[in-house]
Amino acid sequence: REEAEAARRELREVVGPLREPGYREALRRKLERVRKRRLRLQRRKQEAKAAKEEAAARAAEREAKIDQWRAKCIQEVEEKNRERELKAAADSVLSEVRKKQADTKRMVDILRALEKLRKLRKEAAGRKGVCPPPSADEAFENQVESLKTLLKNRTELYEAEERALRVMLEGEQEEERKREMEKKQKKEREKLLQQKLEIDSKLFGDPDEFPLAHLLQPFREYYLQAEHSVAALIQIRHGWDQYLVPADHPEGSCIPPGWVLPSLPTNDTWATAVR
């Protein structure tokens, strides 16, 4: 019986607070605080995880851009080295051809000097009454003509080699000029594309900041319809032509050549509305 009384008192102590009028509300508020705290911790954990993943993605993107830039630089250096080696080889061959041409010219000069020397010696011998047989003259002339033909063929061959090398060098120079022009045009296209993206971002919003860019698609189609329809182009041009005025007209101004960009906010309130 004493044990039953003790159990009853213990049970009454446990159940007693439950009968108080504000206990349930206090318990509900406590559970709500626990739930909110758990959700807050879970949200912070998810935000930290998302921030970490975003940082990793940005780092990977930076690494990819660095690798791409490094590969491009290496490719440009290799191309320049190949061009330099090819030009050096062509210059070396051209120098060798010119040396051969100089040797051939020197041999031609030597041959002419030999002809002149034989003629002088023959005249001196004739004045002394000594005349060589006709066979000796014929053998000398045949030998000289043979050497002249050989030197002529070599000269023509070396001239052909020089022309071929010059054509090759001019072709390489033309290719180099063409590549430089293409690089310049590519930079100009990238610059114009970047300017267009900046203008579109100011007019239509940054697509990275506004993932629901498809909501603006009807407006884009409306403003760009003249690029896809001749009838729309004529209609829009007709509407614009009604307001064409000279630049010095007192009641209007001429149509701007491009987009009219919005001016920067002049106060903080306006800036918050724009953002």
Side-chain angles (χ1 to χ4, degrees), residues 73-262:
C73 292
I74 293 174
Q75 183 179 3
E76 291 178 355
V77 171
E78 290 179 351
E79 289 179 356
K80 289 182 179 179
N81 290 335
R82 284 196 297 269
E83 293 170 2
R84 192 181 299 110
E85 291 175 358
L86 181 61
K87 188 176 184 302
D91 290 339
S92 176
V93 176
L94 184 60
S95 177
E96 185 68 22
V97 170
R98 288 177 177 174
K99 182 180 179 182
K100 291 179 180 179
Q101 288 177 336
D103 293 340
T104 303
K105 185 176 182 303
R106 186 168 59 254
M107 292 175 66
V108 171
D109 294 339
I110 292 174
L111 188 60
R112 289 176 182 174
L114 287 175
E115 287 181 318
K116 186 177 181 180
L117 178 61
R118 189 177 188 282
K119 181 179 179 182
L120 292 175
R121 287 184 175 181
K122 184 178 179 181
E123 290 177 355
R127 285 193 296 270
K128 294 179 181 180
V130 178
C131 295
S135 58
D137 293 339
E138 184 178 357
F140 179 79
E141 291 177 359
N142 291 336
Q143 189 68 25
V144 168
E145 289 298 327
S146 177
L147 292 175
K148 285 183 177 180
T149 302
L150 177 62
L151 294 176
K152 181 181 179 182
N153 293 335
R154 287 189 177 182
T155 301
E156 293 176 353
L157 177 62
Y158 297 152
E159 288 178 353
E161 290 182 2
E162 183 181 6
R163 287 194 299 269
L165 288 173
R166 289 188 179 278
V167 169
M168 185 178 68
L169 290 175
E170 290 176 359
E172 288 296 327
Q173 294 174 356
E174 182 66 25
E175 289 293 331
E176 179 65 21
R177 287 193 293 269
K178 187 183 296 183
R179 283 192 291 269
E180 291 295 331
M181 182 62 67
E182 290 177 354
K183 291 180 180 179
K184 185 176 180 181
Q185 292 176 352
K186 183 179 179 181
K187 290 182 179 179
E188 290 294 332
R189 288 195 299 269
E190 291 177 352
K191 183 178 178 181
L192 293 176
L193 178 61
Q194 184 63 29
Q195 293 177 353
K196 182 178 183 301
L197 292 177
E198 292 177 357
I199 293 176
D200 290 345
S201 175
K202 293 180 180 179
L203 293 173
F204 304 110
D206 190 352
D208 295 333
E209 297 180 1
F210 300 96
L212 299 179
H214 62 278
L215 296 177
L216 299 175
Q217 187 62 28
F219 302 96
R220 293 177 182 270
E221 292 178 355
Y222 173 77
Y223 286 109
L224 300 178
Q225 58 180 328
E227 297 183 2
H228 309 286
S229 172
V230 178
L233 174 61
I234 295 175
Q235 180 182 359
I236 295 172
R237 181 57 189 267
H238 177 69
W240 277 92
D241 289 347
Q242 293 178 354
Y243 302 96
L244 287 176
V245 293
D248 56 350
H249 197 279
E251 298 182 358
S253 59
C254 60
I255 298 175
W259 289 103
V260 180
L261 299 178

